[in-house]
Amino acid sequence: MFVSINWIKDYVDLSGLDIKKLINSFTLATAEVEEIYEKGADVQNVVVGEILSVEAHPNSQKLHLLKVDAGSKVCDIVCGAPNVRAGMKVALALAGGRVPAGEIKLATVAGFPSEGMCCSEKELGISDDHSGLMELETDAPNGTDLKAIFPIDDIVFEVDNKSLTNRPDLWGHYGIAREFAALTGRALKPLTLGDLSYDGDEQVAVSIGRPDLVYRYSCVKMDNITKHVSPLDMRIRLYYCGMRGINLLADVTNYIMLEIGQPTHAFNAAKIDCIGVDTPQAPMKFTTLDGVEREIDTDTLMIWNGDEPTAIAGIMGGLDSEIVEDTGAVVLESANFDGISVRKSSSRLGHRTDASARYEKMLDPTLTMEAVGRFVQLVKEIDPDARVASQVTDVVCKEYPPVSLSFDKAYVDRYTGIEISDERICKTLTALGFGVTYADGNFTVSVPSWRATKDVTIKADIIEEITRIYGYDNFKITTTRSPLKPVPNDYARLEDAEVQDLLVKKFALHEVHSYVWCDGRKFKKLGIPVEPNVTVLNIENSENGVLRNAMLPTLLSIAAENKDFADRYGLFEIGRVVEGTKPTGEANERKHLGIVLYDKSGDEKALYLRAVALVNALIGEIKQKPASYAKITPAHAWQHPKNTAEISVDGTAIGTLCALHPANAAKLDKIGRAVGVELDMDKFHAVNAAAIAFREPSTQQSTYSDLSLVLPEQTKFSDLAACWNSLGLAELESVRVIDTYEKLGVRSITVRLLFTAMDRTLEMEEVQGWIDRIIENLAKINVVLRA
């Protein structure tokens, strides 16, 4: 949200104050300020100029040669604007001056000298209108600095919207001005509201079909509106605060929303006979002001003119009842809708607006009448002949109960730990709009309506109000005495940290963080279907509504997005998946480790073996136990039909290892390949770690032997391991797979056996004897050497 200091000055005298220090105080006391912008600082030496003559350029159909009176002299200007004419007063940037695009210099344009530039509003940075020259309606003498006429100089700061979530009163300049008044100790000027009196009998009829979704609905009719363009100072404020000028009536409604935080909507009175507020009886289509046809369901609150829908309540008006340039009569809607209903509707429609963002925060219902009075006041200031043409309709369906809180001075002292005088407490709360009664050390505080919708409800909230205005930076720093208690170890968290360290430090993998829901758009690019699972409520039209049941599709999506930045890399994440629901109806959340290895070389077998080595290292170093693998039928369509294995420890399945199905692999990369590992970390933590066995390293030379073996169907590596483990060879230090082969029904594996003795260098005859015994055992399970 953008806040204009010029606008704040309408309600609080800030003269003599350092504005940037004051904004910093606002950050410390109220809400985080993200950025400060000095508007107009790059506009210099731009004056009122009057075009004396216009001649066509002899060699251009677009350009004109102007004589412009700049007060002190007449300047030659070459200009290409379509609306240029003699007698027109314009914004003239003189040579040596500046506009946001840069410095204005003496120049020769298309063969003719130009001593400056006649500017559009966009070129001055005060609107996005670049249709022609900015035409000045002013009696100021030629040569007058434009900044002396219009509020071009301003300081605008941007407030982080997240810090305003619980403060609906701060979504308008007047609420922020109240904070500035409290911080500076200066008076807050009241809003000027228009006279709503009307002598006739006409009144806009309003019927509320869903009083549970409408807290208050106020409206009034105005006619005899003859002006249709808002004044420049209003358009500048709107533009500086992130909105564009449209026409007088639309600009006034936007101005009020930015001023007091209350959205309003002006309907073309010619299109409105009576107003109904209700949800539709059946789903329907509705075209909003932005020209988009939207699907409306039966839970979306609508504004109706009789049987015709005219607006989506709290979100956006309809195209058929919009204000056009010559609209002379309007029906102003100023309403307060249920914030939850507005949020759900905007989510279903996928359309969030400035109005809906404010309604979601639970606005003060009393603002609706303030907005009506402010609308009348502003329209009459700009167009004095405009008049109120109906009685005010004000339907109140729900009122927030008044909130009153009582406490004593000792309560304040105990919470703050410092001495704040009774007088300062009363002064602070009064400046913030609270009603305060004080007697004999006891305070009774009545909470203003704009803070009572959800913000201030308990005594501790009052303490926060006192201390933040007092200034947290004014607290005296003292050392507290409190007992220190040891925090019990969370072994699962410690193991997670070990896994992360191993994957990063030993295997150079990159840790990522992702959302728990499926990204249907990204999955579709990889040909991965979104499998049925628990869904997030109220986002039926979103592609991200289904919670994931596996980590790997998410990681594969991330791998696909990064494949052009490196030829080989690995990703991992310890995150949450949801495996259906528990018997209680709650989502069955599980903690999983997902790993994806990607290699652009396309050597899927080498990548698969690298994944095996990685898993073996994880389980071996953390649990001091071996992992076993067994081929299984894929549980997901994107897993490889053959190269998918179950990972087990101590006979308990804890995860899977798989390559991608060829169809999905081709969508990921035509050449590159990926292999994935997914471990259920809850099951991993449940595996008891074996005692660490320490062994003195041998000083003797090792020797190894490679065996290439042909395997029958269904033979597992654990079957092979039993053939050498059963011999109890102390000199057999390790066995690892170095290659696999499968073609035309022949399955082969090459293993490397490493032999080391502690007390001697092994002789080949001795090693060969052990190998022969291993081969004999292998033959018993029909495993033979490959010829």
Side-chain angles (χ1 to χ4, degrees):
M1 176 179 169
F2 295 99
V3 180
S4 160
I5 287 294
N6 283 349
W7 210 333
I8 298 296
K9 288 179 178 177
D10 286 354
Y11 305 112
V12 184
D13 179 11
L14 301 181
S15 58
L17 298 174
D18 185 320
I19 298 301
K20 291 188 177 179
K21 285 186 178 179
L22 183 57
I23 293 173
N24 183 61
S25 297
F26 178 82
T27 292
L28 296 175
T30 308
E32 180 182 356
V33 173
E34 294 186 325
E35 194 68 67
I36 299 175
Y37 307 93
E38 295 189 32
K39 298 290 188 179
D42 48 5
V43 176
Q44 300 171 12
N45 204 18
V46 180
V47 301
V48 176
E50 183 176 357
I51 300 175
L52 301 178
S53 66
V54 179
E55 295 182 10
H57 191 287
N59 300 318
S60 173
Q61 295 183 349
K62 178 180 178 182
L63 297 178
H64 299 88
L65 306 178
L66 314 181
K67 297 286 187 182
V68 183
D69 181 2
S72 59
K73 66 173 184 176
V74 175
C75 300
D76 290 316
I77 304 293
V78 179
C79 178
N83 64 333
V84 63
R85 69 178 190 279
M88 182 181 186
K89 285 204 169 187
V90 297
L92 175 63
L94 297 172
R98 294 190 67 85
V99 295
E103 183 180 355
I104 303 299
K105 298 180 180 179
L106 291 171
T108 299
V109 180
F112 287 84
S114 187
E115 301 174 272
M117 182 176 74
C118 296
C119 302
S120 68
E121 292 182 7
K122 183 176 182 179
E123 288 167 332
L124 293 176
I126 58 175
S127 91
D128 59 359
D129 184 3
H130 196 50
S131 59
L133 295 183
M134 174 183 176
E135 185 168 2
L136 305 179
E137 297 180 4
T138 177
D139 296 328
N142 296 338
T144 302
D145 192 315
L146 208 65
K147 291 184 177 181
I149 309 171
F150 301 110
I152 295 174
D153 278 336
D154 197 358
I155 295 178
V156 174
F157 60 93
E158 185 178 4
V159 180
D160 177 15
N161 287 350
K162 295 188 294 295
S163 62
L164 301 179
T165 299
N166 292 318
R167 290 292 303 273
D169 60 306
L170 296 184
W171 283 77
H173 279 71
Y174 194 69
I176 292 179
R178 185 183 295 111
E179 294 288 314
F180 274 49
L183 289 169
T184 59
R186 299 188 177 184
L188 177 69
K189 301 173 186 177
L191 285 167
T192 303
L193 305 181
D195 182 6
L196 301 178
S197 59
Y198 169 72
D199 296 331
D201 297 328
E202 184 173 347
Q203 186 176 31
V204 180
V206 174
S207 62
I208 309 296
R210 289 293 302 271
D212 56 322
L213 303 181
V214 184
Y215 293 178
R216 189 169 186 170
Y217 196 96
S218 308
C219 66
V220 70
K221 182 178 179 181
M222 289 191 74
D223 65 9
N224 204 38
I225 300 170
T226 58
K227 295 188 176 180
H228 306 294
V229 179
S230 55
L232 184 60
D233 57 351
M234 177 178 284
R235 299 202 307 274
I236 290 174
R237 283 191 179 179
L238 290 174
Y239 186 70
Y240 283 178
C241 293
M243 301 193 111
R244 64 183 180 88
I246 302 172
N247 55 54
L248 172 62
L249 297 171
D251 290 353
V252 170
T253 59
N254 287 333
Y255 189 90
I256 292 169
M257 180 175 67
L258 295 179
E259 184 176 55
I260 65 174
Q262 171 63 46
T264 58
H265 186 74
F267 295 105
N268 189 335
K271 305 287 183 70
I272 299 295
D273 299 316
C274 59
I275 290 177
V277 189
D278 203 352
T279 50
Q281 297 299 311
M284 65 181 197
K285 294 182 178 181
F286 179 71
T287 303
T288 46
L289 280 172
D290 54 2
V292 177
E293 186 178 71
R294 304 183 185 277
E295 299 285 342
I296 306 298
D297 64 15
T298 56
D299 292 324
T300 300
L301 191 67
M302 301 290 294
I303 310 300
W304 306 78
N305 175 40
D307 295 329
E308 291 296 320
T310 59
I312 306 174
I315 299 176
M316 183 173 276
L319 191 61
D320 291 341
S321 61
E322 72 171 326
I323 299 296
V324 292
E325 290 187 2
D326 60 348
T327 299
V330 297
V331 172
L332 178 75
E333 168 198 272
S334 180
N336 188 287
F337 304 110
D338 176 66
I340 297 174
S341 171
V342 172
R343 185 182 72 249
K344 289 182 176 180
S345 295
S346 64
S347 296
R348 286 194 298 269
L349 294 169
H351 187 53
R352 197 163 185 262
T353 62
D354 289 307
S356 69
R358 286 166 169 80
Y359 280 121
E360 291 172 10
K361 307 303 181 292
M362 311 301 287
L363 296 176
D364 174 14
T366 64
L367 284 177
T368 64
M369 285 303 297
E370 282 190 18
V372 171
R374 195 72 183 127
F375 181 86
V376 171
Q377 176 67 24
L378 291 172
V379 171
K380 285 189 173 183
E381 284 179 358
I382 299 166
D383 189 351
D385 294 329
R387 65 193 180 195
V388 175
S390 75
Q391 296 179 7
V392 175
T393 302
D394 185 27
V395 180
V396 180
C397 299
K398 176 180 177 179
E399 293 182 280
Y400 286 96
V403 178
S404 180
L405 303 168
S406 298
F407 53 91
D408 57 17
K409 180 63 163 53
Y411 179 82
V412 179
D413 294 342
R414 185 168 67 254
Y415 260 77
T416 63
I418 58 174
E419 174 62 33
I420 303 177
S421 68
D422 297 347
E423 180 183 0
R424 185 157 188 174
I425 292 172
C426 292
K427 183 179 179 181
T428 296
L429 293 174
T430 301
L432 292 171
F434 292 82
V436 184
T437 302
Y438 175 71
D440 301 325
N442 294 301
F443 298 88
T444 300
V445 177
S446 56
V447 180
S449 59
W450 59 84
R451 300 295 300 278
T453 59
K454 66 174 183 177
D455 182 20
V456 178
T457 57
I458 58 177
K459 292 186 291 183
D461 295 332
I462 298 293
I463 300 300
E464 181 184 359
E465 297 301 304
I466 297 168
T467 53
R468 68 183 183 84
I469 299 300
Y470 178 84
Y472 297 122
D473 51 336
N474 293 325
F475 277 50
K476 183 180 178 181
I477 299 175
T478 58
T479 302
T480 60
R481 297 178 64 86
S482 17
L484 294 177
K485 298 180 180 178
V487 177
N489 283 326
D490 181 347
Y491 290 102
R493 182 178 60 81
L494 294 176
E495 284 192 344
D496 289 347
E498 284 188 75
V499 168
Q500 291 166 324
D501 285 346
L502 276 170
L503 293 177
V504 171
K505 296 177 181 179
K506 185 170 183 176
F507 294 97
L509 269 58
H510 302 276
E511 185 173 12
V512 298
H513 297 281
S514 61
Y515 294 116
V516 73
W517 49 80
C518 300
D519 191 321
R521 180 178 56 83
K522 293 180 180 178
F523 284 17
K524 188 175 181 180
K525 290 181 179 180
L526 297 176
I528 297 176
V530 175
E531 298 175 357
N533 199 15
V534 178
T535 58
V536 179
L537 295 176
N538 301 321
I539 56 171
E540 296 89 343
N541 296 331
S542 171
E543 294 181 317
N544 301 339
V546 181
L547 299 183
R548 66 187 177 193
N549 58 11
M551 294 287 295
L552 289 184
T554 302
L555 296 181
L556 288 166
S557 300
I558 298 173
E561 292 174 339
N562 289 276
K563 66 182 181 181
D564 294 330
F565 301 104
D567 292 339
R568 180 184 181 186
Y569 56 85
L571 307 172
F572 79 93
E573 179 184 6
I574 298 177
R576 296 286 175 176
V577 301
V578 175
E579 298 177 353
T581 57
K582 300 177 183 178
T584 58
E586 298 173 313
N588 182 23
E589 284 193 50
R590 305 286 296 180
K591 181 170 65 174
H592 279 204
L593 165 65
I595 301 171
V596 166
L597 303 180
Y598 171 81
D599 194 331
K600 196 166 283 188
S601 71
D603 190 345
E604 188 172 86
K605 183 169 69 173
L607 202 59
Y608 198 91
L609 293 176
R610 181 172 173 237
V612 170
L614 185 152
V615 173
N616 289 342
L618 278 182
I619 297 173
E621 295 195 26
I622 296 175
K623 297 298 184 180
Q624 289 79 50
K625 291 184 176 181
S628 61
Y629 304 84
K631 183 178 177 180
I632 57 171
T633 301
H636 306 281
W638 44 267
Q639 291 177 320
H640 197 285
K642 292 186 177 180
N643 298 331
T644 298
E646 182 178 77
I647 304 168
S648 300
V649 180
D650 288 345
T652 301
I654 64 168
T656 55
L657 164 67
C658 69
L660 282 183
H661 189 286
N664 303 105
K667 289 180 178 293
L668 173 67
D669 196 313
K670 291 182 179 179
I671 300 175
R673 289 293 177 262
V675 170
V677 175
E678 185 153 349
L679 300 183
D680 187 322
M681 293 303 287
D682 296 316
K683 294 180 179 178
F684 181 82
H685 297 321
V687 174
N688 294 320
I692 298 176
F694 294 94
R695 178 181 173 185
E696 180 183 353
S698 174
T699 60
Q700 305 299 317
Q701 183 175 352
S702 300
T703 186
Y704 68 86
S705 179
D706 292 344
L707 299 181
S708 294
L709 308 172
V710 178
L711 310 180
E713 285 291 333
Q714 308 303 321
T715 302
K716 297 181 291 185
F717 185 81
S718 57
D719 299 330
L720 305 181
C723 294
W724 49 75
N725 289 337
S726 63
L727 300 177
L729 299 174
E731 292 81 4
L732 181 57
E733 184 172 319
S734 66
V735 181
R736 66 186 182 92
V737 177
I738 61 171
D739 194 15
T740 61
Y741 175 84
E742 185 171 353
K743 191 173 184 181
L744 301 176
V746 176
R747 298 172 62 237
S748 175
I749 185 172
T750 299
V751 295
R752 175 163 293 172
L753 296 88
L754 182 67
F755 296 92
T756 306
M758 298 295 294
D759 55 353
R760 67 192 186 283
T761 300
L762 296 173
E763 299 292 338
M764 283 305 299
E765 293 80 3
E766 186 179 16
V767 173
Q768 186 61 50
W770 296 328
I771 293 173
D772 292 341
R773 292 171 62 192
I774 291 172
I775 293 173
E776 289 177 7
N777 282 350
L778 290 170
K780 294 176 183 178
I781 58 172
N782 298 320
V783 175
V784 297
L785 289 176
R786 190 172 67 197

